[in-house]
Amino acid sequence: MADKNDFSELLAEMLLRMDRQQGEIKQTNDILRTVAEVQGKMLHQIELIYTDQQQFNAQQIQFNARQEQFNTQQLRFNTEQQQFNTQQQEVNQAILGELRTIKTDVRELKEVVLNNHEERLRRLEEFMRRAS
């Protein structure tokens, strides 16, 4: 039969081991609690980032819609501006043609006036010679 002292030592050893295990379990639980807290904070941060990203995406969609509307209006304006430029070019060419015609007419008038003036001057000189 086993000695009472052997049982006491065995029992003391088991209690010592149980105390150590209890300490290790407490330490493990503390570590797990800390990990769970960190994971919870990380999850919260991820949720905040997700919410921010959703808001950004909604704003980006609105911006894209406004940009598309602006592009459509700009395209319409560019088309109208091109039509205006074409019409303006036609008007400018017509005016240029008229100015060229006027210039030619002025040259012709100048020649007629100068010729008439020279003719009158010549007649006046002739008259003055006859009168003297």
Side-chain angles (χ1 to χ4, degrees):
M1 222 167 139
D3 185 335
K4 187 177 179 183
N5 201 14
D6 287 341
F7 280 126
S8 296
E9 286 179 24
L10 183 62
L11 200 55
E13 183 66 27
M14 287 176 73
L15 285 174
L16 187 62
R17 284 184 186 179
M18 283 175 60
D19 283 343
R20 264 191 253 140
Q21 282 180 342
Q22 193 66 23
E24 290 172 356
I25 288 172
K26 184 183 178 312
Q27 186 179 12
T28 302
N29 285 342
D30 290 344
I31 291 171
L32 288 175
R33 195 172 298 110
T34 302
V35 168
E37 287 175 9
V38 169
Q39 286 179 339
K41 289 178 183 178
M42 289 174 63
L43 179 61
H44 180 69
Q45 289 296 322
I46 290 171
E47 288 170 347
L48 290 176
I49 291 170
Y50 178 79
T51 301
D52 288 347
Q53 186 65 42
Q54 291 297 93
Q55 290 173 350
F56 174 80
N57 290 347
Q59 290 172 348
Q60 186 67 43
I61 288 169
Q62 290 173 350
F63 173 81
N64 291 347
R66 287 192 307 271
Q67 186 66 40
E68 187 65 34
Q69 184 180 22
F70 173 80
N71 291 347
T72 301
Q73 291 172 349
Q74 187 67 38
L75 184 60
R76 185 171 42 249
F77 172 80
N78 290 348
T79 301
E80 291 172 2
Q81 186 66 38
Q82 185 63 36
Q83 291 171 350
F84 173 80
N85 290 347
T86 301
Q87 292 171 351
Q88 187 65 43
Q89 188 173 7
E90 292 170 0
V91 167
N92 290 346
Q93 289 174 348
I95 290 173
L96 184 61
E98 288 297 318
L99 287 174
R100 286 180 180 150
T101 303
I102 291 170
K103 186 177 176 182
T104 303
D105 291 347
V106 166
R107 278 189 193 139
E108 290 174 3
L109 283 174
K110 181 177 128 185
E111 288 178 25
V112 167
V113 167
L114 286 177
N115 288 340
N116 283 345
H117 179 69
E118 288 176 10
E119 179 65 29
R120 287 183 182 167
L121 187 59
R122 191 177 53 76
R123 278 194 253 157
L124 180 60
E125 286 173 353
E126 225 176 88
F127 176 75
M128 295 292 279
R129 260 187 279 153
R130 281 190 216 159
S132 50

